[in-house]
Amino acid sequence: MKQQPALFSYRHTNSLIHRLPAWLKLILLCTVTFRTFSNSSYNITNQGIIPFFPWIRAGFYFILSVFFFFLAKTPFSSLKRLSFILWLGFFMALLSLFSLKIDISDKNNIVILNYAPLINDGLYIFRFFTTSLFSLVIFETTSRLEILDALTCLEDKTAIIIPFVKKIRLALILSITITFIPEIFNCWNKVSLAAAARTPIGKNG
């Protein structure tokens, strides 16, 4: 079996997103992640009205992530590595079904189904998939050296105001942390391939 590239690993090709400065891509990643998950007060109101603004905001950044996805010439096979998010959403939806509450109004004897947990979990999974898709594009188009250089440049400028930052070598710590993520998924791929190789395909008579 052929080993698939690890999630968030660098993909060497020529695209518009590859040519963008690394510091700009990191700023975009932080901005999209923060803005997608901002406005956490999205619970359904007492009148049963669903606030659609968080969904609209998440939808906007989802469209932006898809736009960057095509600009980066990302192969559709990369989406398979995000399939775990869909499985996570499936299990969260099952748990939400068990937490549904049925309220009975004393005045009109009307049965009210409280589906707020299901809606909230759906929004969380949608946000998680959106930010993961954008992260996939950014890290596949930015090499480890580019990330280190961008963080080092930012550290040097920050050290002018806060000299202590230079002593803790924050850029190196963040760079190692970011580049360690693909290694985790790479080890997971190797373990999965080894387990699949030991699993018999059919029973011998």
Side-chain angles (χ1 to χ4, degrees):
M1 297 178 64
K2 184 179 179 181
Q3 183 177 351
Q4 297 295 327
L7 181 64
F8 299 143
S9 59
Y10 177 70
R11 179 175 49 84
H12 182 73
T13 187
N14 185 21
S15 70
L16 178 61
I17 306 300
H18 279 79
R19 294 192 293 269
L20 290 178
W23 62 268
L24 177 59
K25 287 187 281 188
L26 292 178
I27 290 177
L28 287 174
L29 176 60
C30 294
T31 302
V32 170
T33 302
F34 174 77
R35 293 296 297 169
T36 302
F37 278 96
S38 62
N39 188 20
S40 59
S41 57
Y42 52 81
N43 292 325
I44 297 176
T45 61
N46 295 331
Q47 291 79 18
I49 301 175
I50 302 176
F52 288 100
F53 180 73
W55 287 90
I56 295 175
R57 174 184 291 178
F60 170 77
Y61 288 109
F62 174 75
I63 295 175
L64 181 64
S65 300
V66 173
F67 180 68
F68 271 64
F69 179 87
F70 286 106
L71 283 182
K73 300 179 181 179
T74 308
F76 285 97
S77 58
S78 299
L79 294 177
K80 295 180 180 179
R81 300 197 289 273
L82 297 178
S83 59
F84 71 94
I85 300 178
L86 300 180
W87 284 106
L88 177 62
F90 174 74
F91 287 112
M92 288 184 64
L94 288 180
L95 293 176
S96 298
L97 290 177
F98 288 107
S99 62
L100 291 179
K101 297 180 181 180
I102 299 178
D103 301 328
I104 301 178
S105 178
D106 296 333
K107 296 181 180 180
N108 302 322
N109 293 327
I110 300 177
V111 177
I112 302 175
L113 182 63
N114 185 7
Y115 49 87
L118 186 61
I119 298 298
N120 294 335
D121 290 344
L123 178 58
Y124 174 80
I125 291 298
F126 183 54
R127 286 171 161 177
F128 187 29
F129 182 81
T130 298
T131 53
S132 298
L133 179 61
F134 197 82
S135 301
L136 176 70
V137 173
I138 296 301
F139 289 123
E140 281 195 352
T141 58
T142 312
S143 65
R144 300 182 181 184
L145 182 59
E146 289 175 331
I147 294 176
L148 178 60
D149 290 342
L151 292 176
T152 302
C153 181
L154 179 61
E155 180 185 76
D156 293 339
K157 293 181 179 181
T158 306
I160 300 176
I161 304 175
I162 309 175
F164 180 74
V165 174
K166 199 68 176 179
K167 296 181 180 180
I168 62 177
R169 306 191 69 178
L170 186 60
L172 181 61
I173 296 175
L174 290 176
S175 178
I176 293 176
T177 303
I178 292 174
T179 55
F180 188 64
I181 296 176
E183 296 299 330
I184 296 177
F185 287 100
N186 187 34
C187 292
W188 173 259
N189 287 339
K190 292 180 179 179
V191 172
S192 299
L193 289 175
R198 293 186 179 95
T199 302
I201 299 177
K203 293 182 179 180
N204 295 326

